Structures are given as structure tokens and as C-alpha cells.
């Protein structure tokens, strides 16, 4: 069963304006499936995967012969296994002078993106891909979340419903096979991740220590990142922890939300917040194997916030928008915090995230600190379990989690 991806239209747009299109993301989020769907619509589009050792060897040892053998327009799956192809793809793109020649996928952005940016600068349109968003799972269109353009949507979600969604996550296999146990799926997923990605990127002398690092990081989702504290818990040095975390981020497993850094604000905490991009995976890594137990746990709020933030990030990324310049959070040395802020067209939109159904006006208590910023302040939202959009005052509202 194919689940249509919101980024299909952006992918088609890029293929009409660039000779090369690249889709990056973690394993099993649906990159190959997406491109094979495009292939169904383009009769002359061919497909080859570098998963096969012989094909991979040809691509690495004789890129020229490989591209003669597999002619454009062509999908090349898992391009990170043979980045030697990239300079030759550049030459062919320059010679052909037409768009939509090569479609590339990759799940190891750590080493790959440097090669892509050097070899294909100005010739490649790049899309990031994460696991399925709720809108994609439910088969509806969505626009990037912004408090001043929320549709008046009613929601019959219960907290139990949401935590079932959090527990299963958005990996396509977990959605299409409802009988598949998350513990079985993510156990196999992590083994593949370790064997096929991690060992290619970094040398791990103690696999158990790396797995402990993953669990400790997962337990800190939606928190400010304290690398020294994380390294201490895993009994590794800070430099190792920093290297391992960079691999999680660059392979699409985790995301670092930067702090607001306006020049007029003093005493701002400079650490980013850590989020995992698939809630099913973070539940597995944090050792939660029952959605009801998670819902009642001390970690429920952090998981709910992770779910909301990851959905908002997916909403922007699926439209091909760069979230790095748009999303941040605020926290100062006095402990005043705003969970998320969206910066769009010179306006800052503050967002609080609460698991309760009616957090009330108290949830807006920190929004006032934004009045000292240089940006214009837009409408604010408290994303929560409310069944409908409810105004709190003339600028802020309660918003159902379904709206993200």
C-alpha cells in the first residue's frame, strides 16, 4: 500500500528545475518508495540500487562505465556507497543541459553532503525526508504550521489516542502493518542502522556503550542538550558524545532545535534542545513498550512535546522549506521558557505545548518577554488536547494537536 507523500509536488518541481534531485533521510522512511512512485509516472526513468555489492563495486571502481551502463534519466539508490559517481554525474549534467536527469537517495548525510555540495553545487535540488506525518497517514493535505493560519478544525482525539500514535511512530512499515509489534520492528531497525550506517561513519569499540548512549539521549528528548551530563551517564568523554550525536543528527534520527539568538537579548541559554524525529523509535530507545504506561509516566509531557515539534518540522520539510532559519526556542537564565518559536517574514510566533485539555491563560505567562525583541510578534498558540480552537485573548489561542 502506497501512502502519498506531501513532498511529491516539491520533488516534481525540483526535477523540472535541476538536473539532479537528491532525497536524504534516515533508513526506511520511504525514500525509495517515493522515487519508485515517480518512476511509475515517467516511462523512461530507470532505477538502480548500490545495495548490491557488484553494482556498488562497478560504481566505485569505474564510474564512467557505470553511467554508460545505467543511462539517464536514472534513480540511483543509496548514493552514499559510491560518492565517486558525483563528479561524473556533474559532467553529464553539464553536457546534457536538461533537468530531471538523476534522482539520488542517501541515508548517510554525514559524509555525503560535503561531496554533494562540492561536486554538484548549483545543479542539485535537495529534499530532506522524515517518517510519515499525521496528515500523510490520514491522507490529507497540510500547510506548514503557523498560528495565524490555523484552520478551524475540531478534534475528537483523546490522550490515549495520541499516545498510541506516539508509541507506533510514523515509519511506513509501522503504519501499513498494524499487526507488527513496535519492539520487533525497531529492534531490527536498530540492528540495520548499526551494521549499515554507524560502522561506516564512526569506529565503535563498544557497541553496548553506543546503545546506552542512544537510550540516554532518547530519555532526554525535548530537553536542553547537556553534552557533559550525557557523556558522564554513558561513561564516555565529551568529544565522543559530540561525535556520536552529530551522527544521529546527520542521519535524520535526531534534530537539534537552536535557541533564539536575537542581538538585543541578554543572558540567553545557548544550548539547543534535542528532539528525536520518530516517536516510535524514541519510545523504543527509551525502553517504553506500552503506550498506556508511557501516558501515565513522568516522561509523558516530553514525549507529547517531541510528537508536536516533530510534526511541525515535518510540515515545513515536506514543503521543501528550510526549518533551520525558521524554528527556535527561548529560555533565559531566569528559567523563563517558550517551547517553540516560528520566525516567518520578520514575525515571531510563540508556541507553548501542553498535554492537558485546558491549560488556560497561565500557559501564556512567558509570551510577554517577547515584547523586548526586535521582531514583530505575531499570534501565539498553545498546542494541547483541546477539542477545538479556543481564543484565550485577542492574540493567542488554544489549538488542537491535530492542527499541526
Amino acid at each position: 500500500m502506497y501512502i502519498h507523500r506531501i513532498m511529491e509536488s516539491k520533488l516534481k518541481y525540483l526535477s523540472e528545475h535541476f538536473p539532479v534531485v537528491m532525497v536524504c533521510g534516515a533508513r526506511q522512511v520511504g525514500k525509495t518508495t517515493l522515487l519508485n512512485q515517480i518512476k511509475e509516472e515517467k516511462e523512461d526513468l530507470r532505477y538502480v540500487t548500490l545495495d548490491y555489492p557488484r553494482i556498488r563495486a562497478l560504481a566505485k571502481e569505474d564510474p564512467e562505465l557505470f553511467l554508460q551502463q545505467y543511462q539517464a534519466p536514472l534513480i540511483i539508490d543509496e548514493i552514499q556507497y559510491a560518492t565517486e559517481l558525483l563528479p561524473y554525474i556533474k559532467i553529464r549534467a553539464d553536457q546534457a543541459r536538461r533537468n530531471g536527469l538523476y534522482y539520488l537517495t542517501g541515508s548517510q548525510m554525514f559524509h555525503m553532503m560535503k561531496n554533494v555540495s562540492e561536486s554538484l553545487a548549483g545543479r542539485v535540488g535537495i529534499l530532506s525526508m522524515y517518517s510519515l506525518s499525521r496528515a500523510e497517514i490520514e491522507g490529507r493535505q497540510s500547510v506548514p504550521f503557523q498560528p495565524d493560519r490555523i484552520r478551524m478544525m475540531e478534534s475528537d482525539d483523546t490522550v490515549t489516542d495520541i499516545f498510541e500514535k506516539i508509541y507506533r511512530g510514523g515509519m511506513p512499515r509501522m503504519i501499513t502493518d498494524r499487526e507488527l509489534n513496535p519492539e520487533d520492528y525497531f529492534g531490527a531497525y536498530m540492528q540495520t542502522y548499526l551494521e549499515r550506517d554507524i560502522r561506516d561513519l564512526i569506529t565503535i569499540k563498544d557497541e553496548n556503550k553506543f546503545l546506552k548512549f542512544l537510550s540516554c539521549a532518547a530519555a532526554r528528548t525535548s530537553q536542553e542538550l547537556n553534552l557533559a551530563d550525557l557523556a558522564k551517564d554513558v561513561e564516555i568523554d565529551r568529544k565522543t558524545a559530540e561525535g556520536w550525536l552529530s551522527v544521529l543528527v546527520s542521519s535524520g534520527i535526531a534534530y537539534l532545535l537552536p535557541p533564539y539568538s536575537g542581538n538585543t537579548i541578554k543572558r540567553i541559554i545557548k544550548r539547543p534542545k534535542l528532539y528525536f524525529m520518530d516517536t516510535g523509535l524514541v519510545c523504543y530507545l527509551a525502553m517504553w513498550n506500552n503506550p498506556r504506561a508511557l501516558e501515565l509516566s513522568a516522561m509523558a509531557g516530553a514525549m507529547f512535546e517531541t510528537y508536536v515539534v516533530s510534526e511541525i518540522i515535518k510540515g515545513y520539510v515536506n514543503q521543501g522549506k528550510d526549518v533551520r532559519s525558521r524554528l527556535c526556542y527561548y529560555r533565559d537564565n531566569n528559567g523563563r521558557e517558550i517551547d517553540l518559536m516560528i520566525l516567518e517574514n520578520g514575525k515571531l510566533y510563540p508556541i507553548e505545548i501542553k498535554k492537558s485539555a485546558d491549560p488556560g491563560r497561565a500557559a501564556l505567562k512567558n509570551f510577554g518577554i517577547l515584547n523586548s525583541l526586535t521582531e514583530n510578534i505575531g499570534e501565539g498558540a498553545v498546542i494541547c488536547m483541546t477539542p477545538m480552537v479556543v481564543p484565550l485573548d485577542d492574540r493567542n489561542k488554544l489549538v488542537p494537536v491535530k492542527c499541526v
Side-chain angles (χ1 to χ4, degrees):
M1 182 180 72
Y2 178 69
I3 298 174
H4 282 281
R5 306 304 294 257
I6 291 169
M7 66 168 52
E8 286 175 23
S9 58
K10 186 67 176 185
L11 176 60
K12 292 174 183 175
Y13 165 83
L14 291 177
S15 71
E16 293 168 357
H17 293 84
F18 290 91
V20 184
V21 178
M22 182 161 194
V23 182
C24 303
R27 289 200 172 275
Q28 300 181 32
V29 296
K31 303 183 297 295
T32 304
T33 304
L34 170 65
L35 289 181
N36 277 323
Q37 180 68 15
I38 301 296
K39 182 175 178 291
E40 292 292 318
E41 302 169 13
K42 295 178 177 289
E43 293 182 359
D44 61 340
L45 185 57
R46 302 170 183 85
Y47 171 86
V48 63
T49 177
L50 301 181
D51 267 331
Y52 293 112
R54 285 190 177 180
I55 296 176
R56 185 189 315 169
L58 175 62
K60 291 178 71 67
E61 295 165 10
D62 197 339
E64 182 70 38
L65 181 59
F66 176 91
L67 293 177
Q68 289 177 14
Q69 184 80 23
Y70 301 98
Q71 295 192 359
L74 177 68
I75 298 169
I76 305 178
D77 207 358
E78 305 289 8
I79 188 65
Q80 76 273 1
Y81 289 137
T83 54
E84 293 85 353
L85 286 170
L86 297 175
Y88 295 84
I89 289 174
K90 170 187 176 293
I91 292 169
R92 276 170 165 69
D94 290 345
Q95 290 173 342
R97 295 184 177 276
R98 67 187 180 94
N99 297 321
L101 282 176
Y102 293 99
Y103 299 75
L104 314 177
T105 79
S107 56
Q108 291 181 5
M109 291 176 277
F110 190 77
H111 286 167
M112 185 175 56
M113 292 311 297
K114 182 174 183 292
N115 292 321
V116 169
S117 60
E118 288 176 353
S119 301
L120 298 174
R123 301 166 181 84
V124 59
I126 300 174
L127 285 173
S128 296
M129 191 175 195
Y130 294 107
S131 59
L132 292 160
S133 68
R134 180 173 179 178
E136 290 172 322
I137 293 169
E138 296 178 354
R140 53 185 170 86
Q141 286 297 312
S142 72
V143 295
F145 180 81
Q146 198 169 293
D148 62 354
R149 60 186 180 205
I150 295 169
R151 292 184 295 134
M152 300 302 286
M153 179 187 296
E154 293 190 3
S155 171
D156 57 0
D157 286 335
T158 66
V159 174
T160 300
D161 293 335
I162 292 298
F163 273 85
E164 180 61 36
K165 296 179 192 303
I166 289 171
Y167 177 61
R168 291 196 71 83
M171 289 294 191
R173 181 94 182 273
M174 289 303 303
I175 303 305
T176 58
D177 186 353
R178 303 301 297 186
E179 299 300 315
L180 180 58
N181 185 292
E183 195 167 351
D184 294 333
Y185 172 78
F186 288 112
Y189 180 91
M190 286 312 302
Q191 194 58 43
T192 302
Y193 180 62
L194 284 170
E195 290 178 356
R196 301 184 63 186
D197 285 346
I198 296 302
R199 288 194 178 94
D200 286 344
L201 297 175
I202 53 178
T203 301
I204 298 177
K205 297 177 181 178
D206 187 342
E207 186 174 296
N208 289 332
K209 208 159 250 191
F210 183 75
L211 291 172
K212 183 179 180 182
F213 170 81
L214 290 174
S215 293
C216 289
R220 289 165 167 79
T221 188
S222 85
Q223 296 180 20
E224 286 179 31
L225 177 63
N226 186 328
L227 267 177
D229 182 56
L230 179 58
K232 182 179 178 182
D233 281 0
V234 186
E235 298 178 327
I236 56 177
D237 60 68
R238 182 191 172 98
K239 186 176 180 181
T240 299
E242 188 173 1
W244 287 1
L245 182 68
S246 69
V247 171
L248 293 185
V249 172
S250 61
S251 58
I253 298 292
Y255 181 84
L256 295 178
L257 181 70
Y260 178 79
S261 58
N263 293 330
T264 61
I265 294 297
K266 308 297 182 184
R267 301 163 64 206
I268 297 295
I269 301 294
K270 295 299 183 185
R271 293 195 294 254
K273 287 174 76 172
L274 172 67
Y275 292 95
F276 278 70
M277 286 304 297
D278 186 81
T279 55
L281 178 59
V282 75
C283 285
Y284 171 80
L285 292 173
M287 301 180 186
W288 291 100
N289 57 18
N290 182 288
R292 180 62 176 164
L294 175 61
E295 177 191 337
L296 300 174
S297 74
M299 201 173 175
M303 285 294 191
F304 184 79
E305 182 177 329
T306 297
Y307 175 72
V308 171
V309 172
S310 65
E311 285 289 305
I312 290 174
I313 291 171
K314 290 174 187 178
Y316 279 86
V317 168
N318 287 341
Q319 299 286 349
K321 296 184 181 295
D322 186 356
V323 292
R324 293 172 298 179
S325 61
R326 288 180 166 90
L327 304 184
C328 62
Y329 81 100
Y330 175 92
R331 189 172 190 270
D332 61 23
N333 284 335
N334 296 319
R336 296 179 299 182
E337 181 175 354
I338 297 172
D339 292 330
L340 183 69
M341 298 198 297
I342 299 172
L343 178 60
E344 191 76 55
N345 296 320
K347 272 191 177 181
L348 265 178
Y349 299 89
I351 296 168
E352 279 293 307
I353 301 167
K354 303 293 183 185
K355 186 171 71 73
S356 64
D358 186 13
R361 290 175 56 88
L364 307 177
K365 64 181 180 181
N366 290 330
F367 284 10
I369 61 180
L370 301 181
N371 293 330
S372 60
L373 304 190
T374 55
E375 285 87 3
N376 293 324
I377 308 304
E379 294 182 26
V382 180
I383 300 170
C384 59
M385 291 303 304
T386 178
M388 64 188 74
V389 176
V390 179
L392 289 171
D393 56 30
D394 60 343
R395 294 177 62 82
N396 306 290
K397 55 179 80 81
L398 298 180
V399 176
V401 66
K402 187 174 184 176
C403 289
V404 304

